Amino acid sequence: MTSVQVKPFSFFSTALYSRKTCHVILPPDYEAAPEKRYLVLYLLHGMRGTEVSWMNNGRAHETVTRAMLDGDLQPCIVVMPNDGEYGQGTFYVDWYDGTGNFEQYFVYDLVPAIDREFRTLTGREHRVIGGYSMGGFGAFSLSLRHPELFGAASSLSGGLGVLSTLPHNEFVRSEFPRMVGPLAGPYARAHDLVMLAEQRLGETVRPELYFDCGTEDYLYPLNAAYHKKLNELGYLHEYQEFSGEHNWAYWTEHLSDSLAFFHRYWAGGGAAVDC
């Protein structure tokens, strides 16, 4: 085992009626072990990012390779998609105003396409998701809204704030009304990360959560507040604070912390198995 493979993968999204491409990292023994099926990790980008942001800016393929070879991450397939490619960022949700079904694209087009094309383990306990900034919100939103798909989620410097805490003028001048509609409405509430966590507490299946943030990051207060709110709810999770700002230096350095979390999570569950 010496290196991972990185390859583009194109598929058609019926939710967006568009051709889409993601990049896939295959574990070092993928070709040599044709009978194996593998764990899957989805890595999401932030605003104004693309499916190559994690590799071009964060050298994710190098971090993943090193973790696998050092035994700090189980052999797994890593999928780096785009967010649906609209505006400054879609937040991986279906927009209230009908602009695009960006959540359905992910859940009903991307995940099944990956499971068809590659030798994946398809149980929720074998599939995890993480992301930075907007992608951190997306990872938590998708996992909390679809716990049947994702067993664990991580966020680096995520936009984990609750929209209802935004000043009214700031909210109405943003694109958030187009995404979630009226703040007091049921659609916005269905995408509120605190309310989603509270709902999952009453269920037997819920994602394990890990998040971290730099103390000099402008989103640090939101992350610290979300940590406090999860503690109040009694939702078990892992949270860390490090020195750092909202930039690629931080995400490049601390991707390994998310990988370590997924390693711990999977250590109690599935690993690559024979077909």
Side-chain angles (χ1 to χ4, degrees):
M1 295 174 63
T2 57
S3 181
V4 299
Q5 301 178 57
V6 182
K7 60 189 301 182
F9 171 61
S10 297
F11 63 100
F12 186 78
S13 168
T14 54
L16 300 176
Y17 204 73
S18 175
R19 296 181 299 276
K20 293 298 174 187
T21 299
C22 61
H23 277 70
V24 179
I25 299 175
L26 297 176
D29 64 346
Y30 189 84
E31 298 299 336
E35 299 304 313
K36 273 188 177 179
R37 290 190 174 273
Y38 293 85
L39 308 162
V40 187
L41 161 60
Y42 288 82
L43 279 181
L44 311 186
H45 65 76
M47 291 184 70
R48 296 176 291 278
T50 72
E51 63 270 18
V52 298
S53 293
W54 267 114
M55 291 190 299
N56 288 354
N57 300 319
R59 303 194 300 277
H61 52 301
E62 298 176 12
T63 303
V64 167
T65 298
R66 186 165 55 250
M68 288 188 194
L69 295 179
D70 290 347
D72 296 327
L73 180 68
Q74 293 86 344
C76 63
I77 296 169
V78 181
V79 183
M80 295 166 288
N82 63 58
D83 66 337
E85 301 175 298
Y86 178 78
Q88 301 296 316
T90 69
F91 280 77
Y92 304 89
V93 303
D94 292 348
W95 282 33
Y96 177 83
D97 71 355
T99 291
N101 297 316
F102 305 109
E103 179 176 334
Q104 293 183 59
Y105 139 74
F106 199 102
V107 171
Y108 301 122
D109 290 328
L110 173 63
V111 172
I114 292 296
D115 287 342
R116 285 192 303 268
E117 181 70 16
F118 301 97
R119 299 195 311 274
T120 64
L121 291 165
T122 57
R124 68 173 298 274
E125 67 274 18
H126 307 310
R127 188 185 297 112
V128 299
I129 186 169
Y132 71 88
S133 194
M134 178 188 76
F137 171 89
F140 274 29
S141 176
L142 288 166
S143 64
L144 287 167
R145 285 174 55 80
H146 299 278
E148 77 284 358
L149 284 182
F150 302 100
S154 77
S155 167
L156 295 81
S157 316
L160 305 182
V162 180
L163 287 176
S164 60
T165 63
L166 281 178
H168 178 73
N169 287 341
E170 184 176 341
F171 175 78
V172 298
R173 291 172 182 170
S174 71
E175 289 193 314
F176 289 129
R178 298 181 58 196
M179 295 181 195
V180 300
L183 273 182
Y187 201 78
R189 294 169 64 86
H191 292 82
D192 184 301
L193 294 183
V194 172
M195 292 184 179
L196 287 170
E198 188 171 11
Q199 291 171 13
R200 296 290 85 83
L201 279 175
E203 303 172 359
T204 56
V205 174
R206 58 179 177 268
E208 296 190 17
L209 301 178
Y210 166 85
F211 57 113
D212 60 54
C213 193
T215 52
E216 291 76 45
D217 193 313
Y218 74 97
L219 292 180
Y220 167 71
L222 300 182
N223 282 261
Y226 193 63
H227 166 56
K228 180 180 178 181
K229 193 63 179 178
L230 290 181
N231 280 338
E232 293 172 355
L233 291 175
Y235 196 118
L236 296 179
H237 62 285
E238 295 185 36
Y239 172 65
Q240 293 194 90
E241 299 174 355
F242 302 99
S243 177
E245 300 179 8
H246 199 81
N247 56 32
W248 276 108
Y250 181 90
W251 304 321
T252 301
E253 178 179 356
H254 292 288
L255 173 59
S256 59
D257 294 292
S258 284
L259 299 183
F261 164 70
F262 292 135
H263 180 69
R264 293 191 299 274
Y265 168 73
W266 277 329
V273 299
D274 292 337
C275 295

